[in-house]
Amino acid sequence: MTEVAPTAREADDARDGDLTERLHMALEASGLGTWRWDIASGAVEWDARLEALYGFDPGTFPGTFDAYQERIHPDDRPQMLATVDAATKDRRPYKVEHRVVWPDGTIRWIQGSGRVTVGPDGAVTGAIGCSLDVTDLMEARLELAEAAEAERAHRRRLEFLNRINDALAAARTRQDVMTDVTRAAVPRLGDWCLIYVLPDPVSTAPEVVMAHADPDAEDIARELVGALEWDADAEVGMPVVLRTGRPEFHPDVTDELVDRLDLPAERREIVRRLGWKSVMSVPLTKRGRVIGGLQFVLTDAERRYSEDDLALAGAVAGRVASALENRRLTDQQQLIASTLQGSLLPDRLPDIPNLAVAVRYWASGEGTEVGGDFYDLLAIDDQTWAAVIGDICGTGPLAASLTSLARNTIRLCAWRGDDAVTTLNWLNRAMLEARPGWFLTAAYMTLQPRETGVDLEVTVAGHPLPVIVAVDGTARRAGEPGTLLGAFEDIALRPVAEHLAPGDTLVLYTDGVGDVAPPHGLDEDEVMRLLVDAASGSGPAPPEVIADRIHDRLAAVLPMDHRTDDVALLILQVPPVA
């Protein structure tokens, strides 16, 4: 049988059919569904694949634009329609990404691409395009975005906690803690922040400090809060937190919540005027004891607290409670140290004829340890007085016990009539027997007032030599160096006679004046200049003023709370001739 060659038309038809088949296979393989929209008739044609993407059974799509819109997620519909309208107006291709909602509630993400069709007369006739299910891709993107947002939130949380830590580290007192924390908390964790601290375990009314995100509104806010009297038995708010030690969380402050407050109507109106929209209160707890509470408030109608915010507030409360407890312990140690230190110094100084006196004692650091510096001024008889300044090597209870030993030994020897060398030898022996390895330095002198001034006998045992500043501003050191006490069996001491004329000032000091870590330390010449400048540089001044000047000059070099050694001063001055 003879084969008949296909005609050209048949060949074209075969080729078109082949291309169509390939196109269908490619669309099926890619998961693409196709559509066509005719503006004139309003008809929308979908293939079976596109129907499946939108949750229609095969052949059930009604073929209208409205039916298409109904499957688009309501939140995405306005943006999608705006994109299609703009593309139709501008006659340009477009792409959209939106969610579709199937009848069973399933939500899928669709990515669509379209192109406007134009008739021979140039008028827009409709559009054609294809769509693809990109749910897996979008969910992966959302997961990445959520992970990135979680990372950012974690970083913001750490930055905020670091800010709180910095505020706590800078606080020197309990009041500093309360003020600095509330200011650091706004506006990150609230428009308002209030801290309530019970001054002691039996207190019922706490101290309250607040901060507001708007400094201009802070005074008004403080006035409104101050108008609310503290009610320890209230059924809602901070009183409940302090009683129970449990957080109180109100994401939405409703009128019903305000009405629960056991307050007169006018005070409930004040609460409403505060404009609180969301509130969380957390306890400050340390060692099982509630010592206060933190309260955070939002006034923004668009923002509400979440459980994550409550957890962050709890983390802040833990840090604040630790800082307050540490501050309390430090204050307690300071009180104990200052009380003990005071017991090691004379309660009052004797009146000495023709002599003005000033004393100072400045504890180093936070003053939580008893220092070894001491001074004393006592009457030996009706004509003679003794003055001493000393420095035990070290701090703490042992230094305190040795300070007491030194003062008592010196007093007993002086009252017995022993001279300076005998007195200091007895003290050396007492130190060697009491605490081997410990030592002290001292400057001891006897004073005898005269009509022409005051006669001195100065004996120095390893201590900085006292400084005499004359009324004309010239200065000299008094006495000669001797052996420190408590280190050697045999010591060498040499009493030196000195005289204070009218207007002369004698400054005895401990080595904390200059013995400071580099670069703040002062050598002997620098210490001399500092003392001379304080005594005469601004003109003659009484001992009390000189002592204050010395403090100011030392603090300018390095504040007392940054020093590691205490400073004691004993200043004697013969009044100048009128």
Side-chain angles (χ1 to χ4, degrees):
M1 182 176 180
T2 303
E3 293 184 2
V4 180
T7 64
R9 182 179 180 82
E10 290 175 337
D12 290 340
D13 291 343
R15 186 166 52 253
D16 289 344
D18 184 51
L19 290 173
T20 300
E21 181 64 23
R22 291 182 183 182
L23 177 59
H24 283 303
M25 292 175 64
L27 290 173
E28 185 176 353
S30 64
L32 287 168
T34 62
W35 54 269
R36 181 181 183 89
W37 172 41
D38 182 70
I39 290 181
S41 64
V44 179
E45 298 177 8
W46 283 7
D47 62 13
R49 179 61 185 169
L50 192 60
E51 286 183 310
L53 294 181
Y54 278 77
F56 287 95
D57 292 331
T60 61
F61 174 59
T64 66
F65 194 79
D66 288 342
Y68 159 58
Q69 288 187 71
E70 288 175 359
R71 289 294 168 95
I72 298 175
H73 194 287
D75 294 344
D76 299 346
R77 195 176 298 157
Q79 181 61 39
M80 188 280 301
L81 293 175
T83 300
V84 173
D85 288 344
T88 302
K89 179 181 178 181
D90 298 337
R91 303 182 182 186
R92 57 177 174 78
Y94 63 90
K95 287 187 177 182
V96 292
E97 284 182 345
H98 58 78
R99 290 164 292 176
V100 297
V101 183
W102 290 2
D104 63 2
T106 300
I107 297 177
R108 308 293 294 179
W109 277 93
I110 300 296
Q111 183 183 78
S113 298
R115 181 174 62 84
V116 174
T117 58
V118 181
D121 58 356
V124 175
T125 60
I128 59 172
C130 57
S131 298
L132 177 68
D133 187 305
V134 292
T135 302
D136 293 342
L137 175 62
M138 293 302 297
E139 288 179 349
R141 287 182 184 175
L142 291 174
E143 287 178 3
L144 288 175
E146 290 173 359
E149 177 56 32
E151 176 62 26
R152 287 191 292 271
H154 180 66
R155 185 165 57 249
R156 289 193 296 268
R157 175 189 174 99
L158 291 180
E159 290 172 351
F160 176 66
L161 290 177
N162 285 337
R163 182 179 177 185
I164 295 294
N165 289 340
D166 290 343
L168 294 175
R172 309 296 295 177
T173 65
R174 180 175 66 184
Q175 193 68 27
D176 287 345
V177 171
M178 297 173 71
T179 300
D180 295 351
V181 164
T182 53
R183 290 178 177 173
V186 296
R188 168 62 178 85
L189 201 54
D191 301 310
W192 297 51
C193 178
L194 300 95
I195 184 170
Y196 298 74
V197 176
L198 296 167
D200 56 70
V202 297
S203 294
T204 56
E207 296 180 22
V208 184
V209 171
M210 63 154 289
H212 196 283
D214 181 1
D216 295 334
E218 188 163 320
D219 289 341
I220 298 175
R222 186 175 289 107
E223 181 179 351
L224 289 172
V225 172
L228 299 174
E229 294 181 1
W230 176 256
D231 179 6
D233 299 322
E235 297 181 358
V236 67
M238 186 55 67
V240 178
V241 175
L242 297 186
R243 288 199 309 268
T244 65
R246 294 192 295 269
E248 190 175 78
F249 185 38
H250 299 291
D252 287 288
V253 178
T254 62
D255 286 340
E256 290 77 12
L257 178 64
V258 174
D259 290 338
R260 284 177 55 195
L261 297 174
D262 186 16
L263 295 172
E266 64 272 13
R267 296 198 179 278
R268 286 201 297 273
E269 181 59 28
I270 291 176
V271 174
R272 290 187 171 91
R273 285 178 59 194
L274 292 174
W276 292 6
K277 304 299 183 185
S278 189
V279 179
M280 56 183 180
S281 305
V282 291
L284 300 174
T285 307
K286 197 65 180 176
R287 296 185 175 91
R289 182 171 65 89
V290 178
I291 61 176
L294 276 171
Q295 192 168 57
F296 302 94
V297 181
L298 292 174
T299 58
D300 184 353
E302 302 300 321
R303 186 180 171 195
R304 292 294 184 270
Y305 283 126
S306 66
E307 292 290 342
D308 287 343
D309 292 323
L310 184 63
L312 180 57
V316 171
R319 286 163 167 78
V320 174
S322 293
L324 287 170
E325 180 66 7
N326 291 339
R327 190 68 261 166
R328 184 187 70 82
L329 294 175
T330 298
D331 291 344
Q332 190 176 64
Q333 289 176 326
Q334 286 178 331
L335 177 61
I336 294 171
S338 63
T339 302
L340 181 55
Q341 191 74 61
S343 71
L344 301 175
L345 300 172
D347 293 333
R348 59 185 180 85
L349 300 175
D351 293 327
I352 303 176
N354 202 29
L355 200 64
V357 180
V359 293
R360 292 290 189 275
Y361 187 94
W362 299 307
S364 62
E366 292 188 331
T368 56
E369 284 194 306
V370 182
D373 295 15
F374 67 94
Y375 58 81
D376 205 353
L377 189 62
L378 62 148
I380 297 177
D381 54 42
D382 292 342
Q383 304 296 322
T384 309
W385 283 261
V388 64
I389 193 165
D391 187 356
I392 305 288
C393 70
T395 58
L398 289 179
S401 67
L402 293 177
T403 298
S404 178
L405 172 68
R407 284 192 62 222
N408 290 331
T409 300
I410 290 171
R411 281 182 165 244
L412 288 173
C413 290
W415 288 333
R416 192 173 60 186
D418 292 342
D419 60 24
V421 173
T422 302
T423 297
L424 295 178
N425 268 284
W426 276 112
L427 179 54
N428 184 59
R429 179 175 176 180
M431 286 287 297
L432 288 170
E433 292 185 359
R435 290 291 174 185
W438 286 65
F439 61 86
L440 70 83
T441 67
Y444 179 87
M445 63 187 65
T446 56
L447 315 169
Q448 292 184 319
R450 308 294 186 193
E451 291 183 0
T452 58
V454 175
D455 289 336
L456 306 175
E457 183 184 78
V458 182
T459 306
V460 179
H463 200 81
L465 297 179
V467 174
I468 297 175
V469 182
V471 69
D472 62 2
T474 60
R476 69 183 189 278
R477 293 193 177 275
E480 291 189 1
T483 309
L484 55 82
L485 308 177
F488 308 101
E489 292 282 350
D490 298 321
I491 58 175
L493 304 170
R494 182 182 175 185
V496 177
E498 298 281 0
H499 181 76
L500 295 181
D504 287 354
T505 300
L506 173 66
V507 181
L508 297 93
Y509 62 95
T510 54
D511 62 4
V513 168
D515 188 12
V516 183
H520 307 289
L522 303 176
D523 60 27
E524 289 187 5
D525 291 339
E526 290 170 326
V527 170
M528 172 71 88
R529 286 195 295 272
L530 184 147
L531 298 178
V532 170
D533 181 55
S536 63
S538 302
E544 292 288 344
V545 173
I546 294 172
D548 292 339
R549 288 177 181 173
I550 291 174
H551 174 274
D552 293 344
R553 284 160 174 77
L554 291 178
V557 174
L558 186 67
M560 295 301 173
D561 58 2
H562 285 63
R563 292 172 177 258
T564 58
D565 198 3
D566 299 346
V567 175
L569 291 179
L570 176 57
I571 302 175
L572 310 174
Q573 185 184 77
V574 178
V577 176

Coordinates of all heavy atoms in Angstrom, one line a residue, residues 62 65 154 169 192 224 275 374 444 498 514:
P62 N -17.4 28.8 39.2 CA -18.6 29.4 38.5 C -18.1 30.3 37.3 O -19.0 30.6 36.5 CB -19.2 30.3 39.6 CG -18.7 29.7 40.9 CD -17.4 29.1 40.6
F65 N -15.6 36.7 38.1 CA -14.5 37.4 38.9 C -14.9 37.5 40.4 O -14.0 37.4 41.3 CB -14.3 38.8 38.4 CG -13.1 39.5 38.9 CD1 -11.9 39.2 38.3 CD2 -13.1 40.4 39.9 CE1 -10.7 39.8 38.8 CE2 -12.0 41.1 40.3 CZ -10.8 40.7 39.8
H154 N 15.1 39.0 71.3 CA 16.0 38.5 72.3 C 17.2 39.5 72.5 O 17.6 39.8 73.6 CB 16.6 37.1 71.8 CG 17.6 36.6 72.8 ND1 17.3 36.2 74.1 CD2 19.0 36.4 72.7 CE1 18.4 35.7 74.7 NE2 19.4 35.9 73.9
A169 N 24.4 49.2 88.6 CA 25.8 49.3 88.9 C 26.2 50.7 89.3 O 27.1 50.9 90.1 CB 26.7 48.8 87.8
W192 N 4.8 54.2 82.1 CA 5.1 54.5 83.5 C 5.9 53.4 84.1 O 5.7 52.2 83.7 CB 3.8 54.6 84.3 CG 2.8 55.6 84.0 CD1 2.3 55.9 82.8 CD2 2.1 56.5 85.0 NE1 1.3 56.9 82.9 CE2 1.2 57.3 84.2 CE3 2.2 56.7 86.3 CZ2 0.4 58.2 84.8 CZ3 1.4 57.6 86.9 CH2 0.5 58.4 86.2
L224 N -1.1 62.9 90.7 CA -2.2 62.0 90.6 C -2.0 60.7 91.5 O -2.8 60.3 92.2 CB -2.6 61.6 89.2 CG -3.2 62.7 88.3 CD1 -3.3 62.3 86.9 CD2 -4.6 63.1 88.8
G275 N -5.3 57.2 82.9 CA -5.3 56.6 81.6 C -4.6 55.3 81.4 O -4.1 55.0 80.3
F374 N 43.7 56.3 113.6 CA 43.1 56.8 114.8 C 43.8 58.1 115.2 O 44.9 58.4 114.7 CB 43.2 55.8 115.9 CG 44.6 55.5 116.4 CD1 45.1 56.2 117.5 CD2 45.3 54.5 115.8 CE1 46.4 55.9 117.9 CE2 46.6 54.2 116.2 CZ 47.2 54.9 117.3
Y444 N 53.5 61.1 118.2 CA 53.1 61.4 119.5 C 53.7 62.7 120.0 O 54.9 62.9 119.7 CB 53.4 60.2 120.5 CG 53.1 60.4 121.9 CD1 51.8 60.1 122.4 CD2 54.0 61.0 122.8 CE1 51.5 60.3 123.7 CE2 53.6 61.2 124.2 CZ 52.4 60.8 124.6 OH 52.0 61.0 125.9
E498 N 59.7 71.5 119.5 CA 59.2 72.5 118.5 C 58.4 73.6 119.2 O 58.0 73.4 120.4 CB 58.3 71.8 117.5 CG 59.0 70.7 116.7 CD 59.8 71.2 115.6 OE1 59.9 72.5 115.4 OE2 60.4 70.4 114.8
G514 N 48.4 60.6 100.8 CA 49.1 60.5 99.5 C 49.3 59.1 99.0 O 49.6 58.9 97.8

